[in-house]
Amino acid sequence: MYRISALFLVGLTAFSLLVSSPAFAIENIVLQLKWSHAYQFAGYYAAKELGYYKSAGLEVQIKPLEPGQDVVQEVILGRANFGTGTSSLLVAKQDGAPIVVLATIFQHSPYVLIARQNDGPQSIQDLAGKPILLRRLSDELLVYLRREKMPEAGIMNSSAGMNTLEEFKKGRVAAISGYISNEPYQLRQAGIPYQIFSPRAVGIDIYGDNLFTSERELKNKPERVARFRDASLRGWEYVLNHPQAVIALVQKYAPGEASSKIQFETDQLNPLIRADLVPVGFMNTQRWQHTVDIYKEAGALSNSFSLKGFIYDPNPKKDLTSLYGAFVLSLLALVILGGVMYYIVRLNKRLHDSLKQVQHMAHHDTLTSLPNRALFSDRLQRAILKAQREKTQFGLVFVDIDHFKAINDRYGHVAGDEVLKTCSQHMMDCIRHSDSLGRMGGDEFVLLLENLHTPQDALEIAKKIQIAITSARFLSDDAISTSASIGIAIFPEDAQDEEGLFSRADLAMYQAKKNGRNCICFYSDLAF
């Protein structure tokens, strides 16, 4: 009975959300970077330049770190709403900073140990007894050296303002800590051979760049935090899927950065994001606990340190206290007002059915129940990402029912609707389980054919559809007959994005109409 009451409340809330249009005024916020503009912040640049933040109701100022500033202090003092930081945010948390990590961008830390390359094979043990210079925030490298049994007498910490790379170039130290996308590039430019040693070689694998905010921001503006996080991760997904746009994007914020430097950073940092394995921004408690253990081993965290309140949950469990109270009240009401509750049950069922229908209608064509443009577009974007990752082909096929307007005019809209439904069913019978068929509107259908070995595979399915529609019989009048004009575009040969594929398949379909209808045309066959 409690379940019925709760479902009624939830259903009523959901229904009100569906029928209303949520809107919010543009809010000005600040993202504080952990240092100067560079590729490692490209996802945030993309979110701003492509309007993802603006669509989320946010006007975002992206600020580089100035000398003397501390990114954590900028956030907790309210001068910035969000910040980027390393896993050393744990240390700030222990020191009393009320911060919450929202997402992890790099699944692996970019920090490495860099040594001069000598002739012949070289191992980290060759650095034993030699001076090794570590910068601040290099706790994982300190643990790495300890696990490799390196004498700590030779391990030095850099002083404020020290240029560790210059110390290395001048031969004053045998190895330095560095960022895999920075110091190696400068050494390569200087013609100095080097070798990289990674802590991952001994199981030290911690998160890299992280997006964080203050507890105050999360408490007071939870929806804004969610909107900013989602838009930022969307920006990173764009950067990973459009590498050709990265250099110009970064140079808008860092005009002094050479194209070769940005490309080097891209090649070094993208593998650390591991978008091939997990969604961008993914993090879990187990990996953070591993990081805590590394920092404890380095002496940077106390044994009593806890992750409680540090990791953001994008899908928090609801507080059911109020619902429990409603449950008790519902029981009392049921004893007295059984008839009223029966009405509520009936109303709840009707709302539930209405919600399911509204949700289905939002993503499907009402006449044929096929995916509509919005749902089909989502499937097409996923197919593009999958094909890019797996280096495969797929086809986008436009199908236009020939002479449909004449059928409507002569036999009426009821007969026209029957033609569309019958044709859609015949087309569904011709495609594979892995394919998707959608209706764009009117007499236009679109088909997504994934995992093609050759374009010929798409042609064979198109021929089946052509025959099925030509031979179709309609219940309302056996005299009705029609055919289909079909256009085909192939990814990635004809286009590599959604808009381009739609445009080229549409052009191919119109060429099929020009060829006399009941024809199949590839975009690649068009003469320009």
Side-chain angles (χ1 to χ4, degrees), residues 24-26 47-48 50-60 227 231:
F24 33 73
I26 294 294
K48 181 177 175 66
L50 295 172
Y52 299 159
Y53 286 140
K54 189 67 67 73
S55 296
L58 304 172
E59 183 64 50
V60 180
R227 283 186 276 125

Side-chain angles (χ1 to χ4, degrees), residues 12 34 54 82 95 105 133 140 155 157 176 196 225 237 266 298 324 330 407 417 446 455 475 515:
L12 191 59
K34 65 181 182 180
K54 189 67 67 73
F82 302 91
D95 292 341
I105 306 303
L133 186 60
E140 64 201 90
I155 302 174
N157 293 319
I176 58 172
I196 288 176
V225 169
E237 290 170 355
T266 303
Y324 290 147
S330 297
I407 293 173
D417 288 349
V446 62
L475 295 176
N515 291 346

Side-chain angles (χ1 to χ4, degrees), residues 1-2 5 324-341:
M1 287 180 291
Y2 157 71
S5 179
Y324 290 147
F327 170 65
V328 175
L329 293 176
S330 297
L331 285 177
L332 295 173
L334 281 171
V335 175
I336 303 171
L337 303 172
V340 174
M341 282 305 301

Side-chain angles (χ1 to χ4, degrees), residues 1-13 322-334 340-349 351:
M1 287 180 291
Y2 157 71
R3 182 184 177 193
I4 292 170
S5 179
L7 284 173
F8 170 69
L9 292 174
V10 172
L12 191 59
T13 301
S322 60
L323 288 180
Y324 290 147
F327 170 65
V328 175
L329 293 176
S330 297
L331 285 177
L332 295 173
L334 281 171
V340 174
M341 282 305 301
Y342 173 75
Y343 169 77
I344 292 176
V345 171
R346 291 287 301 275
L347 181 59
N348 177 62
K349 184 178 184 304
L351 284 173

Side-chain angles (χ1 to χ4, degrees), residues 200-239:
R200 281 190 278 166
V202 293
I204 301 174
D205 188 9
I206 69 175
Y207 288 138
D209 277 22
N210 304 285
L211 178 65
F212 74 97
T213 190
S214 64
E215 293 179 0
R216 179 185 62 254
E217 177 78 14
L218 181 57
K219 179 181 178 181
N220 295 338
K221 301 286 185 177
E223 293 184 359
R224 183 167 75 181
V225 169
R227 283 186 276 125
F228 178 80
R229 177 182 181 274
D230 291 346
S232 298
L233 298 183
R234 188 180 173 195
W236 273 109
E237 290 170 355
Y238 174 86
V239 166

Side-chain angles (χ1 to χ4, degrees), residues 115-123 126-127 130 174 193-195:
R116 191 176 294 273
Q117 176 70 60
N118 299 322
D119 294 334
Q122 189 174 353
S123 73
D126 295 325
L127 298 175
K130 298 178 181 178
Y194 62 88
Q195 181 160 348

